[in-house]
Amino acid sequence: MSKPNDFSIRCQNCSFNHLCIPVALNQTEMQSLDEIIERKRPLHKNDQLTIPGQKFTSLFAVRTGSFKSYITSPDGEQQITGFHFPGDVVGFDGLYSEKYQSYTQAMETSMVCELPYDKLDTMSAQLPTLRKEMLKIMSTEINQDHSLMMLLNKRTAEERLAHFLINLSDRFKSRGFSPAEFNLTMTRNEIGNHLGLTVETVSRLLTRFQKEQIIKVDGKNIQIQSIEILREKLGEHVANKKACG
Amino acid sequence: MSKPNDFSIRCQNCSFNHLCIPVALNQTEMQSLDEIIERKRPLHKNDQLTIPGQKFTSLFAVRTGSFKSYITSPDGEQQITGFHFPGDVVGFDGLYSEKYQSYTQAMETSMVCELPYDKLDTMSAQLPTLRKEMLKIMSTEINQDHSLMMLLNKRTAEERLAHFLINLSDRFKSRGFSPAEFNLTMTRNEIGNHLGLTVETVSRLLTRFQKEQIIKVDGKNIQIQSIEILREKLGEHVANKKACG
DNA sequence: CGTAACTTTGATTCAATTCAAAGCCCGTGG
DNA sequence: CCACGGGCTTTGAATTGAATCAAAGTTACG
């Protein structure tokens, strides 16, 4: 399929292998995994990696760039379910019904590793660590979605955006990028869509955070001046434990 | 562990096996699964099946009764992430980090089948269908969470409650219960918590739906008089496709 | 360098929350 | 058997956070 010459980077040297499927594998296992991976040529901005209804064949690990995933409702409404950066694995939604359920779209020029599912499955019969790792990644996704549910149901606009910025910062940090300065590859509209806010609200909040000296905003560029104050914004609710248990 | 005499029902005779893990298994495979399952004695109302931090050992299939799952934030806020009925499998959140991440609490006297994870895993090495089925169930959960995200971000209170009632109706139907009349095992407060609404809003909407002759409410008992009108409530938005793709 | 897409800012509106107060239901114990 | 109390539900009135509506700015790139 892919020519190993052109885009050949091996899991062994990949700077994101500590975040990706290889994390739990030993050298030999990683070698096996590496052999089934197909390196795809670059995707350009707005290219679709998966679309709903398309036959599920592979999972994809983001190698460079960034993606957004979104679903649509019958009436055309869109909901961005997540943003993906190097090391993230996408496509699990397709396991249900053998068809991808969401769009996965490149937000900039990006590269992915394609992991053909049938080969992964065969391998996982032999490798308990791989089997476990796949379940673990899905479990992580479920837990993240549950946290987001709490965020959307119980938090104010300000708290949501603070959470979003902290989350980005943490993710960039774990990838070896600066946690204090980064570029938003997504638009204000996309941030709002994901967080259940309007563009205007996102814009106003960024401006407000800047006035409060918490961040510096220059277009797509964000500098976090005080991650502490940002974190404080999350927990400022009074604990008014509602009946539930 | 469990005495096979007391609560012995086998997957083969279980009326929910078409909704549960056995769905994809043949007779022999179902037999093997059946052998690793431990039948737990009944849980009573408010008993916790899992709590966050507890070591992950098993998945649980609901056999009778109903459960709610919820997570909590540091400040004590709670978020109900889902309700579970017979045939549903819970506990996948524990695969990440080997610890359960959420509470799973019985909303009434209930029974579950316990599926020890290490045994399931060993089995799944041999049985591709089982391997696939587990991933599929998790994938379904991810997709449901994504739909809920859309519901919470883009829909009005009325649409959320309509969706909730239709969802319950559909689930009861697939379990062989009446889709037109059922009892809510959860309180108004719990419905609101899950849907991102207050008790008062839920109550007002149920009253309004009743006045509109869509449902009949009598305490916990719900009769759906017109599922069609209820469904219409979902799609009444004008398709004002926002920029996203 | 023109134009379409994105962002910001301001004014106004509104759906749902919050606050407040009954009412109801059901289990429990006298 | 009935009175009591706590939890749940309903209803109403007032409030508000974020949406909507409107209109400039700004950016990017073909």
Side-chain angles (χ1 to χ4, degrees):
Chain A
M1 296 285 164
S2 64
K3 307 173 199 128
N5 44 335
D6 210 6
F7 303 113
S8 68
I9 286 186
R10 328 213 112 241
C11 286
Q12 289 86 335
N13 328 320
C14 179
S15 53
F16 302 112
N17 62 19
H18 63 296
L19 299 162
C20 192
I21 292 192
V23 68
L25 307 183
N26 64 33
Q27 278 300 318
T28 328
E29 292 167 345
M30 204 186 297
Q31 176 70 33
S32 316
L33 179 69
D34 192 80
E35 279 162 15
I36 70 163
I37 291 179
E38 297 176 12
R39 321 286 172 181
K40 303 195 74 164
R41 61 200 65 264
L43 286 94
H44 298 107
K45 186 169 177 167
N46 296 335
D47 283 353
Q48 299 284 11
L49 181 59
T50 70
I51 63 170
Q54 186 184 34
K55 182 159 173 38
F56 168 81
T57 54
S58 305
L59 300 174
F60 300 94
V62 179
R63 191 134 64 89
T64 65
S66 52
F67 292 81
K68 65 173 174 180
S69 289
Y70 61 97
I71 55 174
T72 57
S73 67
D75 65 356
E77 200 78 50
Q78 300 184 329
Q79 172 62 48
I80 295 177
T81 53
F83 298 109
H84 313 293
F85 300 103
D88 290 341
V89 184
V90 303
F92 290 102
D93 60 289
L95 278 156
Y96 157 83
S97 86
E98 309 276 306
K99 287 175 180 167
Y100 296 108
Q101 298 297 307
S102 58
Y103 296 87
T104 310
Q105 185 176 40
M107 295 193 296
E108 60 189 313
T109 301
S110 307
M111 291 214 273
V112 296
C113 298
E114 178 170 2
L115 309 156
Y117 177 71
D118 52 358
K119 291 182 186 166
L120 259 189
D121 180 58
T122 311
M123 257 187 82
S124 78
Q126 309 304 321
L127 302 181
T129 46
L130 177 60
R131 208 155 59 222
K132 186 66 172 286
E133 190 56 25
M134 286 177 61
L135 291 168
K136 207 166 155 179
I137 294 176
M138 293 183 83
S139 177
T140 305
E141 190 164 337
I142 288 173
N143 286 315
Q144 281 168 354
D145 290 345
H146 288 173
S147 299
L148 194 60
M149 217 180 280
M150 160 102 69
L151 194 77
L152 300 178
N153 271 350
K154 310 275 186 262
R155 301 305 183 189
T156 63
E158 187 173 87
E159 291 168 325
R160 294 184 209 186
L161 190 64
H163 177 100
F164 178 77
L165 291 173
I166 291 169
N167 181 254
L168 276 190
S169 170
D170 288 347
R171 291 168 76 182
F172 287 133
K173 186 177 185 183
S174 70
R175 280 158 180 79
F177 304 133
S178 169
E181 179 170 6
F182 46 83
N183 284 311
L184 299 174
T185 52
M186 67 293 288
T187 66
R188 307 283 194 266
N189 192 17
E190 288 167 338
I191 296 172
N193 180 296
H194 182 55
L195 298 176
L197 305 170
T198 57
V199 209
E200 295 94 325
T201 301
V202 172
S203 176
R204 274 186 252 273
L205 285 172
L206 287 173
T207 305
R208 194 201 302 174
F209 284 175
Q210 175 155 249
K211 277 187 188 141
E212 291 173 3
Q213 315 261 330
I214 303 172
I215 61 174
K216 261 182 118 266
V217 187
D218 181 19
K220 299 259 174 211
N221 184 267
I222 300 283
Q223 280 178 260
I224 297 184
Q225 296 179 295
S226 172
I227 192 91
E228 296 78 22
I229 302 181
L230 212 49
R231 281 189 205 282
E232 277 169 27
K233 295 234 176 235
L234 298 185
E236 65 193 7
H237 268 294
V238 183
N240 61 335
K241 315 203 176 202
K242 287 200 189 136
C244 190
Chain B
M1 296 285 164
S2 66
K3 306 174 200 126
N5 45 332
D6 210 6
F7 302 113
S8 68
I9 286 185
R10 329 211 111 242
C11 286
Q12 290 85 336
N13 327 320
C14 179
S15 53
F16 301 111
N17 62 20
H18 63 296
L19 297 163
C20 194
I21 293 191
V23 68
L25 307 183
N26 64 32
Q27 278 299 318
T28 328
E29 292 166 346
M30 204 187 295
Q31 175 72 31
S32 316
L33 179 68
D34 192 79
E35 279 162 14
I36 70 163
I37 291 180
E38 298 175 12
R39 320 289 171 178
K40 302 196 75 165
R41 62 200 64 263
L43 287 94
H44 299 107
K45 187 168 177 167
N46 296 334
D47 283 355
Q48 299 284 9
L49 181 60
T50 71
I51 64 172
Q54 186 185 36
K55 182 159 172 38
F56 169 80
T57 54
S58 305
L59 300 175
F60 299 94
V62 179
R63 192 133 63 88
T64 64
S66 53
F67 291 82
K68 64 173 174 180
S69 289
Y70 61 96
I71 56 175
T72 57
S73 69
D75 65 356
E77 199 80 49
Q78 302 184 329
Q79 172 62 49
I80 295 176
T81 52
F83 298 109
H84 312 293
F85 300 104
D88 289 341
V89 184
V90 305
F92 290 104
D93 59 290
L95 278 156
Y96 157 84
S97 87
E98 308 277 304
K99 286 175 180 168
Y100 296 108
Q101 298 298 306
S102 58
Y103 296 87
T104 310
Q105 186 177 38
M107 295 193 294
E108 61 188 314
T109 302
S110 306
M111 292 213 274
V112 296
C113 298
E114 178 169 2
L115 310 156
Y117 177 70
D118 52 357
K119 292 181 186 168
L120 259 189
D121 180 57
T122 311
M123 259 187 81
S124 79
Q126 309 304 321
L127 302 181
T129 45
L130 176 60
R131 207 156 60 224
K132 186 66 173 287
E133 190 56 24
M134 286 178 60
L135 291 167
K136 208 168 154 178
I137 294 176
M138 293 183 82
S139 177
T140 305
E141 191 164 337
I142 289 172
N143 286 314
Q144 281 168 354
D145 290 345
H146 288 173
S147 299
L148 194 60
M149 218 179 278
M150 160 101 67
L151 193 77
L152 299 177
N153 272 350
K154 311 277 186 263
R155 301 307 183 187
T156 63
E158 187 173 88
E159 292 168 325
R160 294 184 208 186
L161 191 63
H163 177 100
F164 178 76
L165 291 173
I166 290 169
N167 182 254
L168 277 191
S169 170
D170 288 347
R171 291 168 77 183
F172 287 133
K173 186 177 184 180
S174 71
R175 280 159 180 78
F177 304 133
S178 167
E181 178 171 6
F182 46 82
N183 284 310
L184 300 174
T185 53
M186 67 293 287
T187 66
R188 308 283 195 267
N189 192 18
E190 288 167 340
I191 296 172
N193 180 295
H194 182 54
L195 298 177
L197 305 170
T198 58
V199 208
E200 294 95 325
T201 302
V202 173
S203 176
R204 275 187 253 274
L205 285 172
L206 286 174
T207 306
R208 194 200 302 173
F209 284 176
Q210 175 154 247
K211 278 188 188 139
E212 292 174 1
Q213 314 263 330
I214 303 171
I215 60 175
K216 260 182 118 264
V217 187
D218 180 18
K220 300 259 174 211
N221 184 266
I222 301 282
Q223 279 177 260
I224 298 185
Q225 297 179 296
S226 172
I227 193 89
E228 297 78 24
I229 302 181
L230 213 47
R231 281 190 205 281
E232 277 171 25
K233 295 234 175 234
L234 299 184
E236 63 193 9
H237 267 295
V238 183
N240 61 335
K241 315 202 180 204
K242 287 200 187 137
C244 189

